[in-house]
């Protein structure tokens, strides 16, 4: 039997409400999914063409807590987002009407962003990877299984920093629904159980400083707390 020649990386696990752990495979992210945020970034929403990018699965900071200020930036930004956890593999392209059958549960997370590197990448027509896919860039709450979560419609997504409101919007303001995003992603990638989708952020993105504390939530569903070390 052939053995691994270096230690096998530890799996990335998120706690599940009610018990158990959710093993994270990939993290897909949606850009420009709230019109007001697209506007504040000087962009517009293209209804026919969602913007996707990825973070490494091990960028997760499970359950929040201390997040180290990343190297290589002077402008770390918060983006609070609904996180969708997939519990089933997709069999090729998934029609919008069947997309909800892939969903295991929901959480709330931060899509931490090196905004200065992103601005430089945009200006140069370059990829966003260093701006988005860095270590510890994806704090995420526990996952609430669908059956325990109830309907998402009408719930508010919010973020406070040092006790002050920073971001907030109803989830109904999302340009692309969870089902539309899963369907679109399934046409580009082989979606699998363990994948997360960060669904995009409302307006109000701003800088985080060392020592800041954050408190994020989806109204009546789930919360996430932590600080920037
Ligand atoms: Mn984002």
């Amino acid at each position: 039997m052939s053995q691994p020649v270096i230690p096998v990386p530890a799996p990335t696990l998120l706690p599940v409400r009610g018990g158990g752990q959710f093993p994270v495979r990939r993290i897909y992210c949606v850009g420009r999914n709230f019109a007001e945020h697209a506007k504040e970034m000087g962009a517009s929403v293209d209804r026919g063409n969602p913007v996707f990018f990825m973070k490494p699965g091990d960028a997760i900071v499970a359950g929040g807590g201390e997040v180290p200020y990343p190297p290589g930036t002077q402008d770390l930004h918060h983006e609070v987002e609904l996180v969708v956890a997939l519990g089933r593999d997709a069999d090729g392209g998934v029609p919008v009407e069947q997309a909800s059958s892939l969903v295991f549960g929901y959480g709330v997370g931060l899509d931490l962003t090196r905004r200065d590197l992103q601005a430089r990448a945009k200006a140069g027509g370059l990829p966003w990877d260093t701006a988005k896919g860095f270590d510890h860039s994806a704090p995420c709450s526990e996952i609430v299984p669908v059956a325990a979560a109830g309907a998402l419609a009408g719930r508010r997504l919010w973020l406070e920093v040092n006790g002050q409101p920073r971001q907030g919007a109803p989830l109904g303001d999302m340009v692309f629904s969870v089902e539309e995003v899963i369907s679109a992603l399934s046409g580009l990638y082989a979606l699998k159980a363990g994948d997360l989708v960060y669904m995009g952020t409302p307006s109000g993105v701003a800088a985080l400083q060392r020592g800041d504390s954050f408190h994020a939530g989806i109204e009546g569903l789930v919360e996430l707390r932590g600080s920037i070390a």
Side-chain angles (χ1 to χ4, degrees), residues 29-31 53 79 81 111 113 132 200-201:
C29 302
V30 187
F53 58 91
E79 298 190 357
E81 311 201 356
D111 163 17
T113 301
K132 290 289 197 179
T201 201

Side-chain angles (χ1 to χ4, degrees), residues 132-155:
K132 290 289 197 179
F134 53 92
D135 296 309
H136 314 291
S137 61
C140 188
S141 70
E142 65 176 341
I143 300 297
V144 183
V146 167
L152 287 183
R155 294 185 196 268

Side-chain angles (χ1 to χ4, degrees), residues 8-30:
V8 175
T12 300
L13 300 169
L14 286 170
V16 175
R17 184 176 298 171
Q21 294 190 299
F22 182 89
V24 176
R25 195 180 80 108
R26 294 180 181 171
I27 306 173
Y28 297 102
C29 302
V30 187

